[in-house]
Amino acid sequence: MSIDQLPEIAQAMVARGKGIIAIDESNATIKKRFDTVGVENTEENRRAYREMLLTTPGLGEHISGAILYDETLRQKTKDGVPFTQVMMDNGILPGIKVDKGTTPLAGFPGEVVTDGLDGLRERLNEYAGLGAKFAKWRAVININIEDGMPSDTCIEANAHALARYAALCQEAGIVPMVEPEVIMDGEHDIDDCFVVTEKVLRALFNALYQHNVMLEGTILKASMVIPGKDCPDQASVEDVADYTVQCLKSAVPAALPGIVFLSGGQSDEDATAHLNEMNKVENLPWPLSFSYGRAMQSAALKIWGQDIVNNVGKAQETVHARARDNGLAAMGECK
Ligand code: 13P
């Protein structure tokens, strides 16, 4: 694919009423999820679980793309059909997580930077050959106001890595989904989250500009502006929506084809309600949709985990219901 085709892919990712399902957990992270429902973390169980998700009847009605992990991109259904084929047949674009997780930022205790740039050009070329149309890189920004976190150094280092990754993606004909996640853990309030998120986004778009990244062929995966989990002052749905839209408007160029949100530990209900409320705002500069991991999967995982052979259909009904509700929320139409 050439760079000219990237805007079309990016627009398809945020088509009206559609969003992304993130199923790109590394083998270590999926183990944590499987442990909660007592499923053994074997390659076959991971394959069966992802097959359940990706073969959900009607998934393509509300889902435009799925982010996979390296192992999953290479796997097939039990009948031998590559997952990428199943996806394309249902109008679901294959995406791939290409970062290699976080590592402590030397000199800045408590802060991290994301690994994975070494050899990335070669990996992206291989992923393009395997059918990946978009890729994701997650940066992690922790807030601890008393300890001066995040530092400017942490914000800059992560923005720089995101920009280098994004430029490499576009060179390979893959749409970069840039994800600077401001983490919900901590006691900070919604104003602190606003200030940090705005700064992080401004640093990111400055770095993308410096690295000649074409915004029209880029998608932002953002965290919502929300108080820390341990903040005594929790915010209403309306406040989260207002703060988030205001923050994005102040820091994200209108040339971007779309913004999708991560769920970041919010309940399923909150993740949907917040997205729905934001989409009631008129004349937004970009489509606002979802790229949820936990908020798309957790209910289905519980059902599937009770009986991984016989509960496939029931679990898929839950996946479809979550996709439908979030798809409606992406239009402000979820009741
Ligand atoms: P959550 O929605 O569970 O936060 O996951 C989305 C994701 O892809 C994080 O990188």
Side-chain angles (χ1 to χ4, degrees):
M1 213 165 55
S2 83
I3 192 148
D4 307 342
Q5 291 165 290
L6 297 180
E8 204 179 310
I9 297 282
Q11 285 160 26
M13 288 165 68
V14 289
R16 184 162 167 77
K18 290 191 183 185
I20 311 274
I21 181 169
I23 57 167
D24 59 331
E25 298 85 1
S26 64
N27 290 349
T29 301
I30 200 72
K31 177 177 186 324
K32 288 190 217 156
R33 307 276 189 263
F34 279 3
D35 282 350
T36 64
V37 294
V39 170
E40 199 189 340
N41 184 26
T42 61
E43 183 174 348
E44 174 50 24
N45 285 346
R46 292 191 295 272
R47 194 206 59 74
Y49 177 60
R50 268 73 182 244
E51 175 171 349
M52 180 277 289
L53 295 169
L54 292 171
T55 58
T56 294
L59 191 65
E61 294 161 15
H62 312 288
I63 295 292
S64 57
I67 317 172
L68 311 180
Y69 181 59
D70 180 278
E71 176 185 278
T72 321
L73 186 71
R74 303 167 195 278
Q75 284 175 326
K76 299 178 178 162
T77 65
K78 63 179 178 321
D79 298 331
V81 185
F83 283 164
T84 49
Q85 187 62 49
V86 173
M87 294 168 71
M88 292 304 273
D89 288 348
N90 287 306
I92 298 173
L93 296 164
I96 177 79
K97 183 234 298 288
V98 300
D99 68 68
K100 294 201 166 175
T102 61
T103 189
L105 182 63
F108 292 84
E111 299 199 292
V112 294
V113 66
T114 303
D115 270 343
L117 287 171
D118 285 358
L120 183 56
R121 174 175 276 128
E122 292 71 25
R123 287 196 292 131
L124 284 166
N125 285 332
E126 191 200 359
Y127 289 143
L130 288 168
K133 306 291 181 207
F134 70 99
K136 186 194 94 171
W137 177 287
R138 173 174 175 260
V140 169
I141 306 289
N142 292 307
I143 303 184
N144 185 328
I145 302 297
E146 265 179 29
D147 291 350
M149 282 162 47
S151 64
D152 290 349
T153 307
C154 172
I155 292 174
E156 287 304 325
N158 277 293
H160 180 260
L162 277 162
R164 284 191 57 199
Y165 136 83
L168 283 164
C169 283
Q170 293 192 335
E171 181 187 275
I174 288 179
V175 170
M177 176 187 271
V178 290
E179 181 185 16
E181 177 172 358
V182 177
I183 299 291
M184 274 171 67
D185 296 341
E187 294 176 4
H188 56 273
D189 63 21
I190 193 167
D191 290 300
D192 294 328
C193 185
F194 184 102
V195 171
V196 169
T197 305
E198 186 181 45
K199 198 167 178 183
V200 165
L201 291 173
R202 286 190 176 166
L204 170 62
F205 283 97
N206 186 43
L208 294 176
Y209 173 68
Q210 305 235 343
H211 286 253
N212 286 342
V213 173
M214 179 181 53
L215 294 187
E216 292 79 358
T218 302
I219 293 289
L220 171 66
K221 177 159 176 168
S223 43
M224 295 182 196
V225 176
I226 203 164
K229 276 187 205 142
D230 300 326
C231 176
D233 211 0
Q234 287 299 311
S236 65
V237 170
E238 291 76 15
D239 280 349
V240 172
D242 278 357
Y243 276 69
T244 304
V245 168
Q246 202 188 322
C247 185
L248 294 171
K249 276 187 173 173
S250 113
V252 180
L256 206 76
I259 301 173
V260 292
F261 292 101
L262 58 96
S263 57
Q266 297 181 38
S267 69
D268 292 6
E269 294 73 22
D270 284 354
T272 305
H274 290 148
L275 179 64
N276 193 53
E277 195 63 28
M278 284 184 237
N279 276 298
K280 291 183 185 165
V281 178
E282 288 180 4
N283 298 321
L284 291 167
W286 349 252
L288 295 182
S289 191
F290 62 94
S291 173
Y292 296 154
R294 283 162 284 180
M296 272 297 304
Q297 297 179 57
S298 52
L301 175 62
K302 263 190 216 130
I303 295 170
W304 180 79
Q306 283 162 10
D307 186 336
I308 68 172
V309 177
N310 295 307
N311 276 4
V312 168
K314 260 199 237 164
Q316 288 178 328
E317 282 172 26
T318 311
V319 177
H320 190 266
R322 292 297 300 136
R324 185 197 56 224
D325 284 357
N326 288 317
L328 288 169
M331 301 184 289
E333 291 174 8
C334 186
K335 301 289 173 241

